[in-house]
Amino acid sequence: MTRSETDHLDEVALLAVRDDVSALDPSAVRHLEACAACRDELEGLRLRSSLVSGALASLDVSWDIEAARARVREAVSVATAEAAGARPIPLARRSWGGGRRAAAVVVLLAATASALPGSPVRQWLQGRGDATSVTEAIEAPRESTGPSIPGPESAVAEWSGIRLDASAPLRVSVRGLRAGEEVRVRWTDGDEVAVLAPAGSRFTSADGEVEAVVSAGPVTVEVPRGGARATLIVGGTVYLRSGPGAPEVTGPVVSESDAGVTFRVR
Amino acid sequence: MDFDNTFDALYPQLVRYCHRLTGDRDSAEDTAQEALVRLYQHGVEGPESALRGWLFKTATHLIRDRYRVDENRRRLLAANPVTPTRPDGPGEAFDREERRALARKALNLLPERDREMLLLRYEGFSYKEIAVAVDVAATSVGTLLARAEKRFVEALDGEELPA
């Protein structure tokens, strides 16, 4: 059954015209051109659209998009890491800068997740300059370490870590290591201190302090060269102090080079 | 698209849709975030239009699930009363609040699916995209949308929106 050119267009057809959804058949077009009633109806629908649009807009509120971006980014990181079987790392237990804390947690979780081939986190982190550099810096030891100061062992399937701004003095305390296990300090060109340990390790941070309770060795501590004021304490014993001058090495050294220092726990 | 591009392109629209649909700010943020998390968990890829369709459909289903229970729905409405109260501020502020309350009330009078379709249409979704998002036949969208829009305006008219 075909419509006659004298038939008025129904509301659905006029709505489709108004919303530019589909083309009318030629007879309907001719009718619309000739029929004042249908054109009035169409104009009424356009006014109705404006009314609806305005009413819906009245419901809208303003949003803090940047805060939402940080929340969503962290949620995506955590969820993807958990899906990958990584153990979530507890947040700082004491007062700490929100952005700083979030950045550290995101980094350590994202690092674990992004190590997985095809991980969505890996993909989106690649579009983010700061996160990419951090992630690559964490992964870097496996690819770029010198022979004297290796990074996390390739035999360690999963590992986790925390990264902190080193612009202020920082105390790094490592607990849980057994005699014979190693702590490797690597000098870096960055401006952050990082502590990396096998998965299952726990990290707690507060103002100027980070504590790592590790599940096993080895532990790698990355320290910026030249100026970062960091103190490394292992099992209650000070192993190293770095500052503006030459680092003060007081722990049980196994080897030392320009790349860093390796300690073996006694 | 990487995270930032996806977020910038889709989050503002998504959270606005969720807020219009629920009337609840926290719920809207939670839902939009959850939908984006699922997008990455599922490794959904494609052009922006495809990601948008996936996100809005997911958000719509999350909201349906969240508010399926009548008690939850009543709680939500109770937390976001639709009866305007005159504030102490200037009349303009009152009008704005009154318009918001009346629009919310009119929207809440629509059946769930009509409400979803209307909001999706006014987010710029095509009939085909709406059909996918709310699980209806594409051929039915025009009729259902016409009805939803008409009911919404009738509800608004019944409340005599301030000029």
Side-chain angles (χ1 to χ4, degrees):
Chain A
M1 182 174 141
T2 57
R3 68 181 308 284
S4 162
E5 285 188 25
T6 58
D7 292 341
H8 289 301
L9 301 179
D10 63 20
E11 185 180 4
V12 174
L14 289 170
L15 213 56
V17 173
R18 183 198 72 182
D19 295 343
D20 200 21
V21 171
S22 59
L24 291 174
D25 64 65
S27 66
V29 171
R30 284 193 293 273
H31 174 83
L32 189 57
E33 287 171 350
C35 179
C38 283
R39 288 202 306 276
D40 286 347
E41 185 75 14
L42 179 59
E43 188 55 30
L45 289 176
R46 289 186 173 129
L47 290 173
R48 192 169 86 181
S49 176
S50 297
L51 179 62
V52 172
S53 185
L56 294 179
S58 74
L59 297 170
D60 295 340
V61 295
S62 61
W63 303 94
D64 185 343
I65 294 298
E66 289 312 309
R69 184 197 305 276
R71 281 197 307 272
V72 174
R73 184 189 296 282
E74 182 169 345
V76 169
S77 297
V78 171
T80 313
E82 288 177 346
R87 182 174 172 173
I89 306 300
L91 297 175
R93 291 173 185 156
R94 280 188 277 160
S95 173
W96 205 36
R100 191 179 176 198
R101 177 185 67 188
V105 173
V106 166
V107 164
L108 61 92
L109 290 171
T112 306
S114 65
L116 299 172
S119 159
V121 169
R122 189 185 192 101
Q123 291 169 18
W124 65 256
L125 279 177
Q126 285 170 349
R128 179 81 175 169
D130 55 350
T132 300
S133 61
V134 168
T135 303
E136 288 176 349
I138 288 178
E139 292 185 289
R142 273 179 282 193
E143 301 164 1
S144 61
T145 52
S148 59
I149 308 293
E153 300 288 356
S154 58
V156 178
E158 290 183 342
W159 48 275
S160 55
I162 192 166
R163 188 175 292 279
L164 300 164
D165 182 3
S167 57
L170 193 64
R171 283 165 54 93
V172 178
S173 175
V174 178
R175 295 197 292 117
L177 285 173
R178 292 180 291 272
E181 294 182 316
E182 291 185 349
V183 179
R184 298 155 181 179
V185 175
R186 298 192 323 115
W187 308 121
T188 69
D189 295 322
D191 54 8
E192 294 175 310
V193 168
V195 183
L196 311 169
S201 301
R202 291 185 295 109
F203 301 86
T204 308
S205 57
D207 290 328
E209 294 183 18
V210 58
E211 182 181 73
V213 180
V214 302
S215 59
V219 173
T220 296
V221 181
E222 294 181 350
V223 180
R225 298 175 194 274
R229 288 170 292 171
T231 302
L232 172 63
I233 301 167
V234 179
T237 301
V238 175
Y239 274 27
L240 180 143
R241 286 191 180 91
S242 70
E248 179 185 347
V249 179
T250 53
V253 175
V254 174
S255 63
E256 188 169 4
S257 72
D258 289 340
V261 185
T262 298
F263 302 98
R264 180 166 292 134
V265 177
R266 290 174 178 158
Chain B
M1 290 199 294
D2 67 22
F3 175 81
D4 283 310
N5 286 337
T6 303
F7 184 90
D8 289 337
L10 298 172
Y11 180 85
Q13 191 185 15
L14 180 64
V15 76
R16 180 178 62 201
Y17 167 73
C18 293
H19 181 253
R20 286 180 174 183
L21 196 52
T22 64
D24 183 87
R25 191 184 185 99
D26 291 341
S27 175
E29 288 188 319
D30 288 349
T31 305
Q33 174 174 309
E34 177 65 18
L36 272 161
V37 166
R38 292 189 182 194
L39 181 83
Y40 285 101
Q41 279 181 321
H42 288 80
V44 179
E45 294 179 351
E48 183 182 319
S49 60
L51 299 184
R52 188 178 72 141
W54 195 94
L55 278 174
F56 276 72
K57 179 173 184 174
T58 301
T60 300
H61 284 269
L62 284 170
I63 291 168
R64 281 183 190 173
D65 291 344
R66 191 168 295 177
Y67 299 110
R68 185 68 72 191
V69 180
D70 287 343
E71 190 173 330
N72 282 348
R73 179 80 181 145
R74 282 196 295 273
R75 180 181 55 77
L76 180 68
L77 290 174
N80 297 275
V82 296
T83 304
T85 54
R86 185 176 291 276
D88 295 333
E92 188 178 316
F94 170 71
D95 283 350
R96 190 167 55 244
E97 286 306 309
E98 188 177 36
R99 288 176 66 87
R100 177 179 298 178
L102 295 179
R104 169 59 54 199
K105 184 175 182 180
L107 205 52
N108 287 339
L109 288 173
L110 297 180
E112 181 179 68
R113 189 182 61 186
D114 287 8
R115 187 165 54 240
E116 293 164 357
M117 294 178 71
L118 185 70
L119 292 177
L120 287 168
R121 179 61 201 153
Y122 279 83
E123 290 294 345
F125 276 60
S126 69
Y127 285 14
K128 188 177 176 183
E129 290 171 325
I130 292 170
V132 172
V134 300
D135 301 318
V136 299
T139 51
S140 304
V141 171
T143 304
L144 294 171
L145 261 180
R147 185 185 68 187
E149 196 175 282
K150 190 173 182 180
R151 283 182 176 175
F152 180 65
V153 171
E154 285 172 353
L156 287 176
D157 286 344
E159 296 295 336
E160 293 184 357
L161 276 171

